[in-house]
Amino acid sequence: MEFVEKSLGNVLGYKTLWYNELASTNNVAAEQLVNGCPDGTTVVSDFQTKGRGQQNNSWESERGKNLTFSLALYPNFVKAESQFTISKIVSVGMVDFLASLDLDARIKWPNDIYVGDKKIVGILIEHSVTGNSIANSVVGIGLNLNQAVFVSNAPNPTSVTIELGREFDREEALSQLLKCIEQRYLAVQQGDVVTIEHAYLNSLYRLKGYHRYESDSGQFDARIVGIRNTGELVLETKEGKQQHFAFKEVRFLL
Ligand code: BTN
């Protein structure tokens, strides 16, 4: 596969491999880690033939329109039990980037990025753990940037172009968003965990008020009261009953 090597940042994207076409950038980023690439190596592809989403879904992205890329990280400053911190860093960084475009984006727990009730960014993180720490992580990000029409059965997609009515330079956008994630990544690396926790919580979609959810035991109205260190969502019903849920154990209903 052909690629161009670029440098788009100080840590994240310092080494960027930009492909025309790949099966999945997550796979190539994983290979880079095996070969001992620098922290923050970024693999981008104009098109993925097997772009992967969460829960074995595929990821729709029109050729050359969006940003589909993966970061190869060595976040060995994060304990295995706190691996959700990486989700927080990346999702808050993406919200920061979208805010810089004047888009009020929110994080739909655990790490989808929404504008209004529509998804604008999908994130797929794969960790490899050694002992108590994370040895490395592949952070795959699909940002709908310039795509105007979605054809797959993705439930509720939107894009920056749909929201703002204009197109953006992809390389410039990537370099800006890498800076946003890098700021959050380095702050946590330097020991500031409190700031990212607050920022994550305050950026949550449906943070305020009661909303409808569905779990194995049926539908219920509840409000978000917190996120556990493990990443579990804590919900409280109007009667004051609290319950925590792991990913896939609860669905947000409209
Ligand atoms: C989701 O289902 O919300 C996660 C989507 C993640 C898509 C990105 S695109 C770049 C990277 N490579 C992949 O194969 N998937 C992720």
Side-chain angles (χ1 to χ4, degrees):
M1 302 281 182
E2 302 246 328
F3 65 87
V4 183
E5 183 160 347
K6 303 169 186 264
S7 193
L8 300 182
N10 293 327
V11 180
L12 303 194
Y14 177 73
K15 176 179 173 187
T16 300
L17 307 177
W18 198 306
Y19 288 78
N20 294 331
E21 183 171 310
L22 275 183
S24 161
T25 55
N26 267 33
N27 301 351
V28 176
E31 284 162 25
Q32 284 290 314
L33 285 166
V34 170
N35 295 328
C37 66
D39 194 25
T41 294
T42 302
V43 178
V44 197
S45 188
D46 291 334
F47 186 66
Q48 298 182 111
T49 53
K50 286 194 177 130
R52 291 189 279 126
Q54 291 153 8
Q55 301 178 36
N56 285 331
N57 288 324
S58 57
W59 181 252
E60 176 193 344
S61 183
E62 191 178 335
R63 187 183 294 270
K65 286 288 187 182
N66 300 313
L67 285 170
T68 47
F69 63 100
S70 301
L71 310 173
L73 303 176
Y74 304 94
N76 42 28
F77 51 91
V78 176
K79 290 253 181 309
E81 66 202 30
S82 313
Q83 55 187 256
F84 193 67
T85 302
I86 304 300
S87 284
K88 291 180 187 160
I89 291 170
V90 175
S91 32
V92 171
M94 287 306 295
V95 166
D96 293 343
F97 166 71
L98 292 166
S100 76
L101 304 180
D102 271 339
L103 275 174
D104 182 19
R106 316 289 302 172
I107 302 164
K108 180 171 175 261
W109 174 87
N111 56 17
D112 285 344
I113 311 296
Y114 269 45
V115 171
D117 289 318
K118 295 187 168 166
K119 181 161 162 174
I120 197 160
V121 179
I123 300 172
L124 181 68
I125 302 182
E126 295 167 310
H127 296 295
S128 145
V129 169
T130 317
N132 292 329
S133 297
I134 302 182
N136 58 55
S137 309
V138 172
V139 174
I141 301 176
L143 162 66
N144 297 334
L145 191 65
N146 293 325
Q147 184 164 344
V149 179
F150 289 84
V151 293
S152 76
N153 56 358
N156 47 358
T158 189
S159 68
V160 177
T161 283
I162 292 172
E163 297 299 326
L164 297 179
R166 60 194 174 100
E167 293 210 354
F168 289 79
D169 181 86
R170 290 159 66 234
E171 185 171 323
E172 224 168 85
L174 179 60
S175 147
Q176 287 309 315
L177 76 83
L178 289 175
K179 279 199 193 92
C180 293
I181 301 174
E182 179 171 306
Q183 265 186 6
R184 299 290 183 175
Y185 185 68
L186 296 182
V188 175
Q189 190 169 45
Q190 282 148 25
D192 179 9
V193 181
V194 173
T195 304
I196 196 71
E197 276 170 3
H198 285 143
Y200 179 84
L201 195 61
N202 288 325
S203 306
L204 281 178
Y205 170 75
R206 292 192 174 174
L207 176 62
K208 298 219 167 74
Y210 289 86
H211 298 273
R212 197 132 192 92
Y213 295 89
E214 185 174 36
S215 72
D216 281 353
S217 36
Q219 294 192 8
F220 58 98
D221 291 315
R223 66 184 183 108
I224 295 175
V225 288
I227 301 289
R228 293 175 127 199
N229 200 28
T230 50
E232 285 175 308
L233 178 70
V234 188
L235 295 177
E236 185 181 75
T237 63
K238 284 186 177 148
E239 297 72 43
K241 184 182 157 208
Q242 285 196 6
Q243 254 189 300
H244 46 87
F245 297 93
F247 183 41
K248 295 181 199 166
E249 284 179 355
V250 66
R251 277 203 319 129
F252 288 56
L253 301 179
L254 270 182

